[in-house]
Amino acid sequence: AQSVTQLDSHVSVSEGTPVLLRCNYSSSYSPSLFWYVQHPNKGLQLLLKYTSAATLVKGINGFEAEFKKSETSFHLTKPSAHMSDAAEYFCVVSGLTNRDDKIIFGKGTRLHILP
Amino acid sequence: GAVVSQHPSRVICKSGTSVKIECRSLDFQATTMFWYRQFPKKSLMLMATSNEGSKATYEQGVEKDKFLINHASLTLSTLTVTSAHPEDSSFYICSARVGGSGSPLHFGNGTRLTVT
């Protein structure tokens, strides 16, 4: 079965330290992968996307993610956290099968930034 | 670019009334629009997929007669919650996409619906 797993429901880091938000997927085909950020009572904003080009993808606000096919992972990282990064982050996978265009959301990871 | 405008951002209505939520793609034509519902501290739940000029495809368990979706043009989709009940209170988010599965979703800012 196709799925997306965000391994941590909550992550807390101190301001200025690195951020790692983990995402694993299962798929029989080459998927498209996305990370979105959601601030309270707002819609989702696209951070970055992977669509079978370079495996290391750079996004907005200093975030990047690396697609590792062997590990079926697409973890989101940022070298130095900022207070404004506190939000909910969703890993999204689409096109997991070639007969059905499915968009699957992870359950989200709440990122807390400690002063 | 790729801005999606959702209106209203907040609405309070009485039980039994209907509420319409609009989703517009401002600077692109959206072949497909999606409507989601989000419960507190939860992920997004897909309600339906609408394609311009055709009937929406509803997910299992979503009442199509209660949640009416119209996608009359390439830039506008509407969700009407009919005969609203307090349990319909939620955060509703629309998104639009140009192209197929490799294309990102562009989201509106959501609508907080409260039914009293």
Side-chain angles (χ1 to χ4, degrees), chain A residues 93-114:
Chain A
V93 186
S94 71
L96 293 181
T97 74
N98 67 349
R99 64 174 176 83
D100 194 11
D101 180 14
K102 284 291 188 185
I103 302 172
I104 299 179
F105 283 75
K107 291 187 176 181
T109 298
R110 171 75 61 177
L111 177 62
H112 303 270
I113 310 297
L114 308 173

Side-chain angles (χ1 to χ4, degrees), chain A residues 20-83:
Chain A
L20 170 63
L21 305 182
R22 297 183 291 170
C23 174
N24 286 89
Y25 67 94
S26 65
S27 169
S28 300
Y29 299 90
S30 296
S32 295
L33 296 152
F34 310 87
W35 275 99
Y36 289 87
V37 60
Q38 184 183 30
H39 289 92
N41 295 310
K42 294 292 184 181
L44 278 68
Q45 180 185 17
L46 178 68
L47 283 175
L48 48 79
K49 63 178 180 179
Y50 166 79
T51 53
S52 74
T55 56
L56 181 62
V57 182
K58 294 188 182 298
I60 62 171
N61 302 336
F63 284 95
E64 61 182 40
E66 185 172 8
F67 174 71
K68 292 186 177 180
K69 187 174 182 179
S70 61
E71 299 177 8
T72 60
S73 70
F74 190 57
H75 300 334
L76 181 70
T77 60
K78 181 173 180 176
S80 176
H82 191 273
M83 293 300 291

